[in-house]
Amino acid sequence: MAATRRSSRLSAQSDAKPSSPQPEDQTANSTQNNRKRKASTSKATAPVTPTKRRTERIQPVPPSTPTPSAAGAIAEPAASTKPRTHPTIARLADPLATNATLLSPETSRVVAFKDIDLGSPSKKPGTRITTENLLDVACAHLISVDERMRPLVERNHCKVFSPEGLAEKIDPFESLASGIISQQVSGAAARSIKAKFLALFDTRDRTTRFPHPSEVAPVPVETLRTAGLSQRKAEYIKGLAEKFANGELSTEMLHDAPYEELVEKLIAVRGLGRWSVEMFACFGLKRMDVFSVGDLGVQRGMAAFVGRDVAKLKSKGGKWKYMSEREMLDISEKFAPYRSLFMWLMWRVEDSYTDVSTLE
């Protein structure tokens, strides 16, 4: 009994014993931390603007020249005249007229300037412009106008207007139709579509050749589309064939017409824009005084030729400009009547080289 009471007293004393006080520095720190927490929660956090990342300014990339690689189909010799090596026969030439040897799409009749005999004593080389000396005469003229043309002429041989190039036989219907087929597609795709197009007209009793306009005109658009042509391209080629078939377009007209009349007639054909007609006149008909102000490669080359920094682009109305059309015409005018060669060389100015090899 006594032991139980003693145990109870000890337990009560233990419970009543005060706890040992904390050190003053710990108490002060605890109080200070509490005050800081209260102060931080009472103040609104100010928004922080994120640091902007410095990014390099991306320079605008100039658009590519409208000269498409597939446009080489425009200058491709007629299928019936391949391989592409042709005997050179001297003919009269005229820088203001068609110098190509053209084939009638229906009869394959040759339309060209009259052949001449350079061996005749009265027709010595150099006394008149022929297919043999046309390129030499043109090169000499460009250099005489501006001596800066000399290095361009000496570095670049223009096969288009050489005796070999002028000997190639061109079917104008095939050339224009091939140009339509090649619009907005790669060269490989254009060749594939053209092969399928030819297969539509291929028969067992003849070798593959490009069809006559009279064969294409009556074919439904739906059938032409099976070759891989779009609806519009099928309509364009059918319309072109109809114009050749009804005589509105002819090899004789394309050969003999003045340049402006030629352009007007061809632009009226659906699917042929001015640039396409200019390229056909230059590379298909081998006319020597064609100049395209709408070709960006020519524009860029001319700007570099006159000493401008073509890396600094100008954009007006959303269109890239290196030089105004008026200025291009003013500069090129002095190179007439050989502006086709001048244009061809402008594509090859070192600071703005444009590959047009597929056009040749």
Side-chain angles (χ1 to χ4, degrees):
M1 188 70 169
T4 303
R5 290 176 181 173
R6 183 181 178 186
S7 176
S8 298
R9 285 197 302 271
L10 291 174
S11 177
Q13 290 176 0
S14 176
D15 292 340
K17 187 177 180 180
S19 59
S20 59
Q22 294 183 352
E24 290 183 5
D25 57 344
Q26 291 185 9
T27 304
N29 288 339
S30 177
T31 304
Q32 189 175 4
N33 290 337
N34 289 336
R35 289 175 180 173
K36 287 183 178 180
R37 282 195 293 269
K38 289 180 180 180
S40 63
T41 55
S42 62
K43 292 182 180 180
T45 304
V48 179
T49 303
T51 304
K52 292 184 178 180
R53 292 183 179 180
R54 296 184 64 183
T55 57
E56 294 184 2
R57 186 177 180 182
I58 300 175
Q59 295 296 329
V61 179
S64 59
T65 176
T67 309
S69 60
I74 293 175
E76 192 172 56
S80 60
T81 67
K82 294 178 181 179
R84 296 184 61 147
T85 56
H86 307 276
T88 59
I89 300 175
R91 293 179 285 107
L92 291 174
D94 185 345
L96 296 176
T98 295
N99 295 294
T101 302
L102 301 184
L103 294 176
S104 172
E106 293 288 346
T107 64
S108 296
R109 183 172 65 87
V110 174
V111 178
F113 274 122
K114 182 181 178 181
D115 298 346
I116 59 174
D117 180 13
L118 291 180
S120 173
S122 62
K123 299 174 182 177
K124 296 179 181 179
T127 59
R128 62 178 65 189
I129 298 178
T130 71
T131 53
E132 292 291 314
N133 64 13
L134 177 62
L135 180 59
D136 293 336
V137 172
C139 290
H141 176 73
L142 298 189
I143 294 172
S144 69
V145 171
D146 192 327
E147 184 63 27
R148 291 177 297 176
M149 295 298 300
R150 184 180 296 277
L152 281 172
V153 169
E154 292 177 348
R155 286 198 306 264
N156 302 283
H157 173 68
C158 183
K159 177 181 174 294
V160 179
F161 303 111
S162 68
E164 179 188 358
L166 296 175
E168 293 176 344
K169 296 178 181 179
I170 302 294
D171 175 348
F173 173 63
E174 177 182 357
S175 180
L176 290 168
S178 298
I180 292 174
I181 291 173
S182 302
Q183 291 173 1
Q184 306 299 319
V185 297
S186 67
R191 288 189 292 272
S192 175
I193 295 171
K194 185 174 180 178
K196 294 175 183 177
F197 178 80
L198 294 178
L200 294 177
F201 303 91
D202 193 21
T203 60
R204 295 180 180 179
D205 60 344
R206 69 182 184 205
T207 58
T208 300
R209 61 164 176 79
F210 204 82
H212 300 319
S214 59
E215 295 173 315
V216 178
V219 177
V221 169
E222 292 73 18
T223 302
L224 296 179
R225 290 196 63 189
T226 61
L229 294 168
S230 66
Q231 176 74 21
R232 285 192 175 183
K233 285 187 179 181
E235 293 174 357
Y236 294 161
I237 292 177
K238 181 178 174 66
L240 178 68
E242 290 171 349
K243 288 185 179 294
F244 271 99
N246 64 24
E248 187 175 341
L249 294 178
S250 68
T251 302
E252 290 77 11
M253 185 279 292
L254 296 175
H255 184 276
D256 299 336
Y259 181 67
E260 291 304 325
E261 179 184 340
L262 170 75
V263 172
E264 182 181 355
K265 284 274 190 182
L266 291 179
I267 286 182
V269 179
R270 289 184 65 207
L272 296 178
R274 186 172 188 89
W275 182 86
S276 296
V277 172
E278 289 168 342
M279 295 303 105
F280 170 70
C282 178
F283 294 99
L285 301 181
K286 313 293 174 69
R287 298 184 72 109
M288 289 294 296
D289 201 35
V290 178
F291 185 73
S292 177
V293 295
D295 190 290
L296 191 64
V298 176
Q299 186 185 117
R300 185 169 59 238
M302 289 185 67
F305 177 71
V306 299
R308 296 181 185 174
D309 185 358
V310 294
K312 296 180 180 179
L313 303 176
K314 294 188 297 181
S315 179
K316 294 183 179 180
K319 295 183 179 180
W320 295 96
K321 283 287 186 182
Y322 296 98
M323 182 179 287
S324 69
E325 294 182 359
R326 182 69 265 166
E327 190 175 6
M328 291 176 70
L329 290 172
D330 290 342
I331 293 174
S332 65
E333 184 63 32
K334 59 187 177 182
F335 294 102
Y338 299 103
R339 288 181 293 178
S340 294
L341 180 60
F342 172 73
M343 178 173 67
W344 186 87
L345 289 168
M346 288 300 99
W347 276 315
R348 284 161 170 75
V349 173
E350 186 174 356
D351 294 336
S352 62
Y353 182 83
T354 301
D355 185 7
V356 292
S357 58
T358 55
L359 284 166
E360 302 168 17

